Amino acid sequence: PREVLDGEREAHNRSVPHVSFYCPNYDILMNNKNSDEYNNVQYFFKLLAMCHDTIPEHSDNMIKLSASNPDDEALVAASSYFGYKFTDREDDTIILESRDNGILKIQLLETIKFTSKRKRMSVVIKENNNIRLLIKGADTSIVSRVKRGQDQLVKTTISHMEQYSREGLRCLLVGYRDLSIEEWNTWEQKYHAASTDLEQLDLLKKGLSNKIEALEEEIEKDIILIGSTAIEDKLQDGVPECIAQLVDAGINLWVLT
């Protein structure tokens, strides 16, 4: 349709490295800063700027992101595009540059890393004396951890993810959970003890039941769902045309990933 093609052109005109985006509804929403939805969308991108293990490399007044996977790099680049630029890590501090609020320094208390088994990652942060767990991961890993009472939100978000998946996009769910100081202190002591216990580390390495994973399950629950990300795995320039010519030449092609 004409409007889709126009949208594609507008996204291309606004594009920066790793980000090509255009949505007229988003533009309208950003002009209404007093709405709850505006605040929710802003926190969505702020969460993406904090929930990752990307390392910023500084060179010639430029920041190059060093990420363990390209999805993290794309999401951090997107958070910058939408107003929350991840600029540095200093010891246990995440430093962001907010379009509206200037430099933000958020204390990083813990990182629970992504694994192919977990299919999710979490960070625990402290900001304005509030402790919060931020999480992102596959729907199969997150939906079962969402706090009850969000059925309609989950249903709507999953329908969006299905639409994105049909377009070939890779999706993640994102959310958060607030923690009391008492709960955090108790859990952190147990987790530190388990994570430095050689016996538990050996059980984890062998894929056997262990206290480390049990404690991760314990804290990653009752999640407040915020929304879904969707990333296009872009091919290099010229690849689609090359594949088309190979097919025209009668050459069979298999892609292994």
Side-chain angles (χ1 to χ4, degrees):
R2 177 65 181 270
E3 60 270 18
V4 173
L5 295 175
D6 289 343
E8 289 286 339
R9 280 191 288 270
E10 185 61 32
H12 178 75
N13 293 336
R14 300 185 182 195
S15 67
V16 299
H18 301 295
V19 185
S20 178
F21 176 88
Y22 171 67
C23 174
N25 291 335
Y26 174 82
D27 289 348
I28 294 171
L29 179 63
M30 289 301 99
N31 289 324
N32 186 12
K33 295 188 177 183
N34 295 321
S35 70
D36 290 338
E37 189 65 8
Y38 174 88
N39 294 326
N40 289 337
V41 170
Q42 287 296 297
Y43 195 75
F44 176 87
F45 293 115
K46 184 178 180 181
L47 184 153
L48 293 180
M50 296 184 287
C51 188
H52 58 84
D53 56 6
T54 302
I55 304 298
E57 298 177 354
H58 297 264
S59 177
D60 298 328
N61 295 322
M62 299 287 289
I63 298 176
K64 182 181 183 299
L65 299 174
S66 177
S68 57
N69 67 75
D71 283 11
D72 254 7
E73 184 178 6
L75 292 175
V76 174
S79 66
S80 175
Y81 180 88
F82 291 105
Y84 287 93
K85 184 178 182 180
F86 169 65
T87 61
D88 211 348
R89 293 183 189 272
E90 292 181 358
D91 298 325
D92 60 350
T93 302
I94 300 171
I95 301 177
L96 307 181
E97 187 177 310
S98 167
R99 187 178 297 159
D100 296 332
N101 302 306
I103 302 298
L104 304 176
K105 293 187 176 182
I106 299 104
Q107 185 178 358
L108 176 64
L109 301 177
E110 187 63 72
T111 298
I112 307 176
K113 293 187 176 183
F114 176 92
T115 67
S116 57
K117 179 181 180 181
R118 285 170 40 77
K119 297 182 181 178
R120 63 188 185 277
M121 79 159 293
S122 301
V123 298
V124 181
I125 62 164
K126 185 176 183 180
E127 185 178 19
N128 301 324
N129 292 321
N130 297 315
I131 298 176
R132 176 171 282 185
L133 177 138
L134 313 177
I135 190 169
K136 68 181 181 188
D139 58 325
T140 53
S141 178
I142 301 297
V143 169
S144 62
R145 292 173 170 78
V146 170
K147 189 175 183 179
R148 292 183 178 180
Q150 303 178 78
D151 295 350
Q152 186 56 51
L153 176 60
V154 171
K155 182 179 179 181
T156 301
T157 305
I158 292 299
S159 71
H160 291 166
M161 290 183 70
E162 290 173 349
Q163 175 188 338
Y164 302 149
S165 296
R166 285 194 295 269
E167 296 176 13
L169 307 181
R170 280 201 301 273
C171 301
L172 296 173
L173 289 176
V174 297
Y176 69 90
R177 178 192 174 202
D178 288 323
L179 304 170
S180 68
I181 294 177
E182 294 78 10
E183 181 183 10
W184 162 249
N185 287 336
T186 300
W187 181 89
E188 192 274 335
Q189 291 175 10
K190 293 179 180 178
Y191 191 68
H192 177 74
S195 300
T196 54
D197 186 320
L198 295 180
E199 181 181 350
Q200 296 303 316
L201 289 169
D202 188 52
L203 291 172
L204 175 64
K205 185 177 180 180
K206 293 177 179 177
L208 301 176
S209 177
N210 62 88
K211 292 181 181 179
I212 298 172
E213 290 181 321
L215 285 163
E216 291 170 352
E217 290 281 347
E218 179 183 308
I219 200 171
E220 293 174 326
K221 65 180 182 181
D222 295 335
I223 301 301
I224 304 299
L225 182 64
I226 299 181
S228 166
T229 64
I231 298 175
E232 180 181 7
D233 196 359
K234 291 281 285 185
L235 295 171
Q236 290 176 285
D237 290 342
V239 170
E241 293 81 3
C242 179
I243 292 174
Q245 291 176 8
L246 290 171
V247 172
D248 286 343
I251 298 174
N252 291 324
L253 187 72
W254 287 264
V255 178
L256 305 182
T257 65

